[in-house]
Amino acid sequence: MIHVNSLVDIVVFGIVGAIMMAALVGLLLVVSGRPGGISPGLQKAFAAAALALLVAVPTLGAIDALASGAGFWTAFAVAACVAAVVAGVNIALSPLVAKRQGGTAGVLTPSLPVFAVGLVLCLALGLVATALAALFV
């Protein structure tokens, strides 16, 4: 039964994180449409908010998994999958922001190295989130 709960955790926290990330990117799109564009300080604030979201939502998923009696590795799998969903939404919507700002420089194109780096980052985020969750539970 723990495996079903972990799948539910992935779906629930993945959807919540995806919606929150889409809302953050949408807000960035609105702000970048101003005549003056977006200032570097505001770009850093949005990057910090996205990073906080990429850590907080998987941590909450791992906390829920650990609180339901799952082990560390199950909580790690939940956190890594939730981080992958949230990061996937961020990567999928980033070309919209780049197009709105008038350039496509710096936009990642899907390739095997990009997916490999993304996988490693999601696993690292999952490990950090599970370690944080273990401190809270």
Side-chain angles (χ1 to χ4, degrees), residues 4-102:
V4 174
N5 289 339
S6 62
L7 290 176
V8 170
D9 287 341
I10 292 169
V11 170
V12 168
F13 286 101
I15 290 173
V16 167
I19 290 170
M20 292 173 70
M21 186 60 75
L24 185 65
V25 171
L27 185 61
L28 183 62
L29 281 170
V30 169
V31 171
S32 67
R34 290 184 186 172
I38 186 167
S39 68
L42 199 54
Q43 284 179 346
K44 290 179 184 176
F46 275 106
L51 183 62
L53 190 63
L54 277 169
V55 172
V57 176
T59 301
L60 291 173
I63 286 173
D64 192 46
L66 287 174
S68 70
F72 180 84
W73 295 111
T74 303
F76 168 71
V78 168
C81 289
V82 170
V85 170
V86 175
V89 169
N90 192 3
I91 291 170
L93 294 178
S94 65
L96 294 174
V97 176
K99 184 191 275 187
R100 180 77 180 244
Q101 291 179 347

